[in-house]
Amino acid sequence: MKVLSADFVTSAAAGGRADGIPADGLGQIALAGRSNVGKSTLLNALVRRKLARTSAAPGKTRLANIFRVTVEGGPGGPGRWALYLVDLPGYGYARGGADSAHELAAVASAYFEAGLKAGAPQQGAAMPEDARRAGPQAGGSRATLLLVDSRHPGLDSDVQAHRWLSRVGATPWIVATKVDKLSRADRVRNLKDLERVFGSAPLPVSATGGEGLDELWRLIAKAARESRS
Ligand code: GTP
Ligand code: MG
């Protein structure tokens, strides 16, 4: 698989207008997770470019950054195909963690609400009433990856974010980041813990070592392809 292009498209500000969020039928994959969990690094590893900034101070970025990616072949092939990857701001930098759902809602609701307005089908079972009422699909299919640090399974903030995403109809896939930092024994135990907490097996990845990136592309391609005609 070859990544032909990867370009910044737009940012959706917290609480701001969601104008400019693409609704052109291409699939959109959003990366959510705590600040520092590795969202931007994973996005860069997927597109094999330094596209998203990875060194920003936690909590500074209040924007959902949207990138358009064109790919040749691979799991979404044959031929050329395109999708959007969305780097969401992190949560969890506020003290405690009890408010992570609030925080995520504050920074990401413009993005998710735009999806509801466009009537895009959300991944997962139940759709909120608003989404059902929104009628036929205008945007492409949307999927959310919830990145959780494989070293810290079952953090309150992640559990709350998972709940919030599910409630807005964006039930996420769980991606366990930084598995290169775990011993074999911790890896087995933590992945099991994550599965128990979130109710489905997480996909283990390492953006720095490359583990799991092919599997993640397969998942992304499947989600993105559902919207292609
Ligand atoms: P915010 O933008 O603040 O929400 O953070 P983020 O989730 O985008 O995290 P970012 O990608 O900036 O990565 C945070 C730190 O984790 C950086 O120092 C990365 O180098 C490191 N990191 C990210 N992925 C991995 C990984 O797979 N393995 C290891 N060892 N380090 C990683
Ligand atoms: Mg980031």
Side-chain angles (χ1 to χ4, degrees), residues 11-198:
S11 295
R17 291 139 53 92
D19 299 358
I21 294 178
D24 58 4
L26 288 183
Q28 300 185 16
I29 314 292
L31 284 71
R34 295 174 78 233
S35 190
N36 213 47
V37 74
K39 298 176 294 298
S40 304
T41 307
L42 185 62
L43 192 150
N44 289 343
L46 285 168
V47 300
R48 298 164 204 155
R49 284 161 176 74
K50 276 209 162 145
L51 195 61
R53 257 185 263 159
T54 56
S55 56
K60 275 239 165 119
T61 301
R62 311 291 284 178
L63 301 169
N65 292 317
I66 304 181
F67 302 92
R68 189 179 193 280
V69 182
T70 317
V71 173
E72 176 104 59
R80 199 171 278 205
W81 54 289
L83 77 160
Y84 294 103
L85 292 178
V86 184
D87 190 13
L88 294 174
Y91 55 80
Y93 38 78
R95 245 180 300 147
D99 279 335
S100 73
H102 259 116
E103 254 183 285
L104 182 61
V107 295
S109 61
Y111 174 74
F112 287 107
E113 278 162 16
L116 295 180
K117 279 185 200 122
Q122 303 280 323
Q123 172 201 344
M127 264 198 195
E129 276 307 313
D130 288 6
R132 277 198 217 101
R133 275 201 302 269
Q137 171 180 359
S141 81
R142 284 168 157 228
T144 306
L145 306 175
L146 179 60
L147 276 56
V148 298
D149 192 320
S150 61
R151 296 168 298 175
H152 309 294
L155 293 175
D156 263 5
S157 56
D158 289 336
V159 171
Q160 286 176 21
H162 185 263
R163 243 181 245 147
W164 183 80
L165 287 166
S166 303
R167 195 149 38 79
V168 299
T171 305
W173 277 300
I174 305 296
V175 175
T177 64
K178 308 189 186 183
V179 288
D180 55 280
K181 293 201 173 196
L182 288 177
S183 69
R184 200 170 268 270
D186 285 344
R187 176 192 169 112
V188 171
R189 192 184 44 232
N190 290 5
L191 290 177
K192 241 187 228 156
D193 282 354
L194 284 171
E195 179 164 1
R196 187 172 41 75
V197 169
F198 294 108

